[in-house]
């Protein structure tokens, strides 16, 4: 009995418990998608490989099992590189399967010939081309295993076009079972005691919860640690919800103050990269003591020499810390000067935001729009957010109460991820938590990167609510009158500001063109009506296009020299 290369790939994926595949079919990989569907893998056909790859990577983060991105040779493979890099930098598991030219045409200028294996190495933890059909199952097992073991990341498997329809005897195939779940590593006991001692002496402690904590499903233990030790905590953007944002110890509204004055910082699956200003002055104390908890040994000591290094799985190490603190009863006093300072800052920042939220001027500003969104969307929805101001302001304005329910531009700051992430979240929610809605909040510029995925959303009838916060540009835009005036002075290529987009673009009509619901909104009343209607209809995709003041910006920061980078 024989089996084809396409069937071997599909069966190997099934054997590794892969559930979801995203891609765009064509020569030479169409048969792989057909074979995958035939054995029960869900295939979602996208409109651009980049969005397909972003979607597959989000599945990896949400489920802990890599999603698959299936692409054709050459340009198809190249368009997926953005998704591979994004997954690797976010430390999310991903498996990309790319078709490549037939082996017997190598160096001849074959159709879409490209050195895919070599190119893939820069973007992946593992890049491999099976040497024969017989080893396909073993190679795919290794790729899936590599993507989830240690620090998760992207893996690429290259399938030559001539392998796809080639047949081989089943008896000669090297079949392998499903890889074991990732082994959990613990920190050394001496490092745990050292961390506890350093923390117990802290006068101004701070716990930073990163997306590594969300990925490792450490929420129950981290919540216990926060309560047991009474620690102030700050979530990173995608660490939001590991401990609910409305927990009394959350100091997100005093982020700059908390980072700048903490004397001991515990990093739970968060890196001292640009998002946390590298842990360096002036954003941190010169003498800050860092307790670093990370799954990746090479991450320990980056930018700041740690006072204690705890190498291991975040959930497991948090459990070790809990055990340590149940032995040496220590609770940080809620009456301290530090708490007083943090609470004052939280109050004053929240008052400033509230003031902006309650402004009645038209067109609306970001804060007013986000207040209505917050009041009307379901409390436990999955939030996807991307844009410049839209994402930055949305991070503080929209709370998360549960882990892994905020997806955004991430460590790589990637624009264009929104619709792919939303599709992935909706497909996973459909199977696992059908009552959960996906709400995707996009800047108008961010929306443009993969706007055609609205057709994908409508084709698979995913009840995603997309809200485009439209300021006619990138960071800021022009209103219609200013735009018309400007056109009088000449060609827009020479006189339109590089940040501007066409004013009053009707993005909602793209949604209605595909059969979804579109709403164009310019006032708070229209916004409330559109949101209520979209939330009430649990079956249809909807896009609410919200026109805001093109000059609306975020509230002034206390670090005037930082404009865009104060994330």
């Amino acid at each position: 009995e024989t089996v084809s290369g396409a069937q071997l790939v599909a069966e190997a994926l099934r054997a590794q418990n892969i559930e979801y595949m995203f891609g765009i079919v064509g020569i030479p990989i169409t048969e792989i998608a057909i074979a995958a569907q035939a054995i029960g893998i869900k295939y979602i056909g996208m409109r651009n490989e980049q969005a397909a790859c972003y979607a597959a990577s989000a599945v990896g983060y949400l489920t802990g099992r890599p999603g698959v991105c299936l692409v054709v040779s050459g340009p198809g493979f190249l368009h997926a590189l953005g998704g591979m890099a994004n997954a690797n930098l976010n430390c999310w598991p991903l498996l990309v399967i790319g078709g490549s030219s037939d082996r017997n045409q190598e160096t001849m200028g074959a159709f879409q010939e490209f050195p895919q294996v070599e190119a893939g190495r820069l973007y992946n933890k593992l890049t491999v081309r099976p040497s024969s059909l017989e080893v396909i199952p073993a190679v795919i097992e290794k790729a899936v295993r590599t993507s989830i073991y240690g620090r998760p990341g992207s893996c690429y498997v290259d399938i030559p076009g001539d392998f796809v329809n080639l047949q081989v005897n089943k008896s000669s195939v090297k079949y392998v079972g499903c890889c074991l779940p990732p082994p959990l590593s613990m920190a050394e006991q001496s490092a745990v005691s050292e961390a506890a001692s350093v923390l117990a002496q802290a006068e101004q402690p701070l716990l930073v919860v990163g997306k590594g904590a969300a990925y490792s499903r450490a929420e129950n233990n981290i919540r216990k640690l926060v309560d047991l030790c009474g620690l102030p905590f700050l979530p990173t953007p995608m660490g939001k919800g590991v401990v609910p944002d409305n927990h009394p110890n959350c100091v997100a509204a005093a982020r700059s103050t908390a980072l700048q004055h903490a004397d001991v910082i515990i990093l739970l699956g968060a890196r001292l990269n640009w998002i946390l200003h590298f842990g360096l002055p002036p954003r941190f104390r010169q003498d800050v003591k860092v307790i670093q908890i990370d799954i990746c040994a090479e991450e320990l000591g980056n930018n700041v020499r740690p006072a204690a290094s705890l190498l291991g799985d975040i959930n497991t190490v948090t459990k070790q810390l809990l055990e340590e603190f149940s032995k040496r009863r220590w609770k940080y006093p809620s009456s301290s000067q530090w708490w007083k300072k943090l609470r004052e800052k939280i109050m004053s920042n929240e008052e400033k935001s509230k003031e902006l939220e309650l402004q009645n001027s038209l067109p609306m500003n970001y804060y007013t729009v986000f207040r209505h969104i917050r009041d009307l969307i379901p409390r436990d929805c999955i939030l996807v957010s991307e844009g410049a101001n839209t994402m930055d302001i949305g991070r503080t304005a929209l709370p998360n109460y549960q882990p892994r329910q905020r997806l955004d531009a991430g460590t790589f700051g990637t624009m264009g991820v929104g619709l792919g992430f939303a599709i992935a979240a909706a497909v996973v929610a459909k199977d696992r938590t059908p009552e959960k809605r996906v709400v995707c909040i996009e800047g108008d510029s961010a929306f443009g990167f993969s706007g055609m995925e609205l057709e994908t959303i409508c084709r698979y009838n995913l009840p995603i609510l997309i809200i485009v916060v439209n300021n006619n540009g990138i960071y800021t835009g022009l209103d219609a009158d200013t735009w018309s005036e400007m056109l009088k002075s000449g060609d827009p290529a020479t006189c339109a500001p590089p940040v501007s987009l066409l004013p009053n673009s009707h993005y909602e009509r793209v949604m209605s063109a595909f059969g979804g619901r579109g709403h164009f909104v310019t006032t708070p009343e229209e916004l409330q009506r559109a949101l209520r209607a979209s939330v009430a209809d649990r079956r249809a995709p909807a896009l609410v296009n919200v026109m805001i003041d093109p000059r609306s910006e975020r509230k002034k920061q206390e670090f005037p020299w930082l404009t865009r980078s104060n994330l």
Side-chain angles (χ1 to χ4, degrees), residues 239-256:
K240 275 161 62 77
V242 170
V243 187
D245 280 344
N246 62 349
H247 188 287
N249 291 29
C250 179
V251 296
R255 183 180 194 272
S256 300

Side-chain angles (χ1 to χ4, degrees), residues 134-202:
E134 285 82 352
V135 299
I136 285 175
V139 162
I140 284 180
E141 184 273 344
K142 177 165 175 137
V144 171
R145 177 162 42 88
T146 304
S147 78
I148 57 176
Y149 274 39
R151 175 189 264 180
S154 177
C155 294
Y156 173 65
V157 177
D158 194 71
I159 304 288
D162 52 314
F163 274 18
V164 175
N165 290 314
L166 202 59
Q167 300 277 332
V168 65
N169 260 330
K170 267 192 168 171
S171 56
S172 64
V173 174
K174 190 178 162 190
Y175 285 105
V176 290
C178 185
C179 66
L180 294 166
L184 299 177
S185 50
M186 298 167 87
E188 48 201 324
Q189 195 46 51
S190 59
V192 177
S193 328
E194 178 62 20
S197 304
V198 170
L199 185 57
Q201 288 159 23

Side-chain angles (χ1 to χ4, degrees), residues 16-34:
Q16 301 305 319
N17 290 336
I18 299 296
E19 294 177 70
Y20 305 101
M21 181 185 274
F22 302 82
I24 298 177
V25 295
I27 296 168
I29 47 92
T30 307
E31 291 83 351
I32 295 177
I34 294 168

Side-chain angles (χ1 to χ4, degrees), residues 474-497:
I474 304 172
Y475 308 128
T476 127
L478 302 177
D479 60 38
D481 294 344
T482 315
W483 180 262
S484 316
E485 274 307 299
M486 179 216 63
L487 286 181
K488 289 178 190 165
S489 58
D491 180 345
T494 52
C495 57

Side-chain angles (χ1 to χ4, degrees), residues 96-268:
V96 179
I97 295 179
S100 55
S101 321
D102 293 5
R103 289 169 305 162
N104 62 0
Q105 296 172 354
E106 260 171 43
T107 74
M108 295 172 65
F111 175 65
Q112 295 186 334
E113 184 177 348
F114 191 76
Q116 291 170 203
V117 175
E118 294 89 324
R121 293 206 201 285
L122 260 182
Y123 303 85
N124 294 279
K125 277 180 85 176
L126 173 77
T127 299
V128 59
R129 170 194 268 200
S131 55
S132 67
L133 263 64
E134 285 82 352
V135 299
I136 285 175
V139 162
I140 284 180
E141 184 273 344
K142 177 165 175 137
V144 171
R145 177 162 42 88
T146 304
S147 78
I148 57 176
Y149 274 39
R151 175 189 264 180
S154 177
C155 294
Y156 173 65
V157 177
D158 194 71
I159 304 288
D162 52 314
F163 274 18
V164 175
N165 290 314
L166 202 59
Q167 300 277 332
V168 65
N169 260 330
K170 267 192 168 171
S171 56
S172 64
V173 174
K174 190 178 162 190
Y175 285 105
V176 290
C178 185
C179 66
L180 294 166
L184 299 177
S185 50
M186 298 167 87
E188 48 201 324
Q189 195 46 51
S190 59
V192 177
S193 328
E194 178 62 20
S197 304
V198 170
L199 185 57
Q201 288 159 23
E203 287 175 20
Q204 305 190 152
L206 179 67
L207 185 62
V208 176
V209 182
K211 63 175 169 295
Y215 180 82
S216 79
R217 294 182 158 53
E219 50 270 14
N220 293 340
N221 285 319
I222 292 176
R223 288 174 192 190
K224 280 183 198 156
L225 184 69
V226 166
D227 292 334
L228 181 72
C229 297
L231 294 167
F233 75 91
L234 174 72
T236 65
M238 279 195 264
K240 275 161 62 77
V242 170
V243 187
D245 280 344
N246 62 349
H247 188 287
N249 291 29
C250 179
V251 296
R255 183 180 194 272
S256 300
T257 302
L259 292 174
Q260 205 180 13
H261 298 289
D263 62 351
V264 173
I265 292 181
I266 310 174
L267 294 173
L268 277 166

